[in-house]
Amino acid sequence: MTAVPMTATPPKPKQGFKLTPAALIWPAMLYLILTTQVPFFMTVYYSFFRWNLQAPTPVHPFVGFENYVGLLTDPQNLHIILNTLQLTAGTLIITLVLGASLALLLNRPFAGRALLRTILISSFLVMPVVTAVIWKNMLLNPIFGFFSWFVQLFGGTPIDYLSAHPMGTIIAMVTWEWTPFAMLILLTGLQSLPDDQIEAARLDGANTWQEFRYVVLPHWTQALEVVILLETINVLQVYGEIFASTSGGPGIATTNLPFSVYQRLLQEGNVGVGSAAGVITVVLTNVLAIFMLRLINRNTQVGGH
Amino acid sequence: MTTLPQSGTQVPANNTPKKPPVNVLGGLLTALTYLLTFLFFFPILWMVMAAFKTEAQAFQTPPVFVFTPILDNFRVAFERYFPALLNSLGAAFGSTILAFILGLPAAFALAFYTTPRSRSVLTWMLSTKFMPAVGVIVPLYLLFTNLHLLDTLPGLILMYTTMNLPLVVWMMHSYMTEIPYAIFEAARVDGASVWREFFGMALPLSLPGISATALLAVIFAWNEAFFALNLTTSDAAPLSVFIGSFKTGEGLFWAQMSAAAVLTVFPVIVFGWIAQRQLVRGLSFGAVK
């Protein structure tokens, strides 16, 4: 994915007391193994047991794939998986379109360009929980919210967006946070395009569209790839926005996988099912990431570097 | 002054015709850019305004745009939010320091003592960053319960270190490979020890990278919500949990809530503005510079 230059020289640690390079790497590796790999394998292990912390008996029998079968056949749970995909896909598409547009707009020379870019990244830096409470109350409240007033100004009737269009509202909030991310990465990608490539295209008589399609776009692919991958992985894990605005509701309309794991574990004490839902999230994240990486790689060939 | 753009951001755009005539389309596009930026910034602006209003004004409809700013909300919010602020500071800086203690030596070794396996070690470390928190939360929750780490600052620091360690290794490795290798060769000829190479050369020469990476790590830990909401409740609750407690329904204090929110997001936004170049590099793990 990245090309970091490697300095290839044989290690020559001698002198004084012998500190091998491996000894410098192991603490970090060990820490990561203990806090990510080991717990993940434990999650996989737990997912095969019927185990509820609130159950009176401390027995947890091995039940094989029961938790998975339950999760994947119950229409409620399928709904949760679909919610997760809807939230991720919706946010990804909108932020890509908005972020790319903003990046192209900010790539033109005009007064205040750097200032606008600086201001634009703000919403990405806002804590997700803050986003949720501010949007939910001060913007979207059907009576006192700013949006409601704004809608009325143009003769519309304000509605309770969070109950009428819960998923749309969550997507709007997450989009607000992630558009600056897409813009920032895509703008940096645009700006690293060498001048002479554009000039060569112009000399060859390329029009604006051809210039964009055959010069800008191929160069842009890496930045697009980064945006798509990182956003997918991060938006699949959206939690704070949902926790502090809808708590997954109404019903399960905005419950995604991370939020349902939280519910299973902390509200129901269901270790087995919570673990299985966690494993499904990890698998889904990896499958989507690999799938997207492949897709992008294949499309990159067309442009050709 | 904080909005001052970084040098190097003003590289003239390439993709526009030379000597543009005063054209209508260009003007419209510029106006559109200003409008979109305003729309994106509006929720933050509205929150900042509410923080300086009275509770009645904050609730008022039609909304109040002109008012005499007051500071009372900040005083009240600050009193209530102080324990959470301390927890957030402790968790963010504690985890960042721990991540650097573990990550800097690793980054150094991976940058200057490369072996055939270095590349895969780096990639593996990065891949742990992509492990969804829900994939590890259940056993960690049980373990934390048994070890009495639930709702404690050390518990939170341990998890945020996991989150920041791959970032630190990956970014510091990327900064360290930018140090001219000849410097180290010269030192090795002179018989410098690994210790001296690390403390005497690699560290001082990568200081800008260290501060940029630390800034990012602090921001990520500061804004984190999942571990905070699952592993803490009151004693160790950081700002995300505190602000989350404002979620319940109507009739709450919007001006106070806004003041607390402003205090929470303001430092992060300012840091982000200052470090926007490094932000791109850190967010994309160096893939986009």
Side-chain angles (χ1 to χ4, degrees):
Chain A
M1 200 159 72
T2 54
V4 182
M6 299 300 287
T7 40
T9 3
K12 278 184 281 177
K14 25 185 186 188
Q15 285 303 105
F17 77 109
K18 200 170 180 241
L19 190 63
T20 62
L24 297 173
I25 301 173
W26 267 109
M29 274 190 82
L30 204 63
Y31 192 93
L32 288 173
I33 289 171
L34 283 177
T35 54
T36 62
Q37 314 298 99
V38 172
F40 176 65
F41 286 115
M42 283 166 80
T43 307
V44 175
Y45 179 74
Y46 290 166
S47 69
F48 295 117
F49 291 86
R50 188 184 297 136
W51 182 353
N52 197 318
L53 294 174
Q54 289 161 8
T57 46
V59 215
H60 18 270
F62 180 84
V63 291
F65 285 93
E66 189 189 273
N67 293 326
Y68 289 97
V69 172
L71 277 173
L72 294 171
T73 51
D74 181 355
Q76 286 248 324
N77 291 314
L78 286 178
H79 192 183
I80 290 171
I81 293 175
L82 282 179
N83 282 344
T84 314
L85 294 175
Q86 195 189 351
L87 172 58
T88 309
T91 309
L92 187 65
I93 292 166
I94 304 171
T95 53
L96 272 179
V97 172
L98 273 176
S101 313
L102 283 167
L104 288 168
L105 282 172
L106 283 165
N107 200 32
R108 309 161 44 251
F110 63 87
R113 197 162 72 104
L115 177 72
L116 288 198
R117 194 195 64 180
T118 305
I119 293 176
L120 259 176
I121 62 173
S122 309
S123 58
F124 179 68
L125 299 163
V126 171
M127 181 186 282
V129 178
V130 169
T131 302
V133 292
I134 296 295
W135 276 67
K136 175 188 174 170
N137 293 302
M138 290 167 48
L139 298 177
L140 297 172
N141 183 296
I143 300 155
F144 306 104
F146 185 88
F147 286 172
S148 308
W149 170 78
F150 197 76
V151 165
Q152 270 178 317
L153 208 62
F154 292 94
T157 317
I159 50 167
D160 188 355
Y161 302 92
L162 274 172
S163 47
H165 307 288
M167 188 49 92
T169 315
I170 299 281
I171 290 178
M173 289 196 278
V174 181
T175 299
W176 182 66
E177 290 175 342
W178 283 90
T179 300
F181 169 80
M183 178 278 287
L184 204 55
I185 305 279
L186 293 176
L187 180 59
T188 312
L190 277 180
Q191 286 174 340
S192 65
L193 180 64
D195 272 338
D196 51 359
Q197 287 195 17
I198 296 275
E199 264 160 43
R202 294 227 175 99
L203 285 177
D204 289 347
N207 62 31
T208 313
W209 166 247
Q210 287 169 330
E211 188 185 304
F212 179 78
R213 171 67 188 83
Y214 295 104
V215 183
V216 179
L217 208 56
H219 177 82
W220 224 13
T221 331
Q222 198 199 5
L224 279 165
E225 185 180 305
V226 168
V227 171
I228 293 174
L229 267 177
L230 291 178
E231 256 195 52
T232 306
I233 290 167
N234 281 290
V235 177
L236 274 173
Q237 299 184 55
V238 157
Y239 176 80
E241 293 88 339
I242 294 172
F243 174 88
S245 64
T246 60
S247 296
I252 54 164
T254 55
T255 305
N256 65 352
L257 280 167
F259 195 79
S260 80
V261 172
Y262 154 80
Q263 285 177 321
R264 307 280 185 209
L265 178 67
L266 288 187
Q267 296 179 354
E268 299 167 15
N270 202 329
V271 171
V273 176
S275 296
V279 173
I280 290 176
T281 314
V282 173
V283 170
L284 193 66
T285 307
N286 285 308
V287 167
L288 282 181
I290 292 168
F291 171 73
M292 288 203 171
L293 202 62
R294 290 244 174 96
L295 194 78
I296 296 159
N297 278 339
R298 202 175 55 219
N299 290 346
T300 325
Q301 308 305 321
V302 183
H305 275 285
Chain B
M1 286 314 281
T2 46
T3 59
L4 211 62
Q6 303 284 298
S7 57
T9 59
Q10 272 119 330
V11 182
N14 319 312
N15 307 348
T16 35
K18 306 279 167 218
K19 302 179 196 72
V22 183
N23 63 50
V24 183
L25 181 68
L28 282 175
L29 288 177
T30 304
L32 179 66
T33 318
Y34 270 87
L35 177 72
L36 286 172
T37 306
F38 175 77
L39 289 179
F40 262 90
F41 193 67
F42 181 77
I44 297 174
L45 184 69
W46 195 238
M47 169 182 86
V48 174
M49 284 170 74
F52 290 97
K53 292 177 183 174
T54 63
E55 291 297 347
Q57 285 167 338
F59 249 109
Q60 207 162 312
T61 186
V64 185
F65 292 98
V66 184
F67 56 93
T68 324
I70 56 163
L71 287 171
D72 301 26
N73 303 313
F74 287 99
R75 193 177 41 75
V76 179
F78 196 76
E79 273 165 22
R80 287 188 52 201
Y81 124 137
F82 196 68
L85 173 71
L86 288 184
N87 285 333
S88 273
L89 286 172
F93 285 93
S95 65
T96 303
I97 292 166
L98 191 54
F100 268 94
I101 291 173
L102 291 164
L104 267 177
F108 168 78
L110 289 167
F112 295 111
Y113 292 89
T114 48
T115 68
R117 272 179 307 169
S118 297
R119 189 76 218 162
S120 44
V121 169
L122 263 179
T123 313
W124 175 80
M125 287 199 178
L126 184 64
S127 74
T128 64
K129 185 94 179 80
F130 300 145
M131 165 68 74
V134 291
V136 295
I137 189 68
V138 178
L140 287 173
Y141 180 82
L142 297 177
L143 193 72
F144 273 36
T145 313
N146 289 331
L147 296 175
H148 303 287
L149 278 171
L150 273 189
D151 205 14
T152 66
L153 205 50
L156 209 52
I157 290 176
L158 283 177
M159 289 333 292
Y160 288 178
T161 302
T162 303
M163 201 172 72
N164 282 330
L165 185 52
L167 179 83
V168 168
V169 174
W170 191 264
M171 291 310 294
M172 288 320 298
H173 172 265
S174 143
Y175 282 108
M176 281 179 178
T177 48
E178 283 171 10
I179 302 175
Y181 195 71
I183 297 177
F184 284 86
E185 275 176 333
R188 279 180 201 174
V189 170
D190 292 346
S193 67
V194 178
W195 289 106
R196 249 206 60 210
E197 277 180 34
F198 180 63
F199 286 107
M201 304 168 70
L203 276 195
L205 286 171
S206 55
L207 266 184
I210 293 181
S211 54
T213 308
L215 205 64
L216 274 179
V218 167
I219 290 179
F220 287 139
W222 187 272
N223 281 354
E224 205 279 336
F226 187 78
F227 286 122
L229 287 160
N230 281 284
L231 299 176
T232 70
T233 44
S234 56
D235 290 352
L239 287 168
S240 43
V241 177
F242 172 72
I243 301 282
S245 68
F246 280 107
K247 71 173 182 164
T248 40
E250 324 239 333
L252 47 71
F253 302 98
W254 285 9
Q256 253 183 53
M257 175 182 82
S258 299
V262 168
L263 289 171
T264 303
V265 301
F266 182 73
V268 173
I269 291 183
V270 172
F271 283 159
W273 283 350
I274 295 171
Q276 43 183 298
R277 276 285 137 183
Q278 287 74 17
L279 201 63
V280 175
R281 189 168 169 174
L283 289 169
S284 66
F285 297 99
V288 178
K289 285 183 205 171

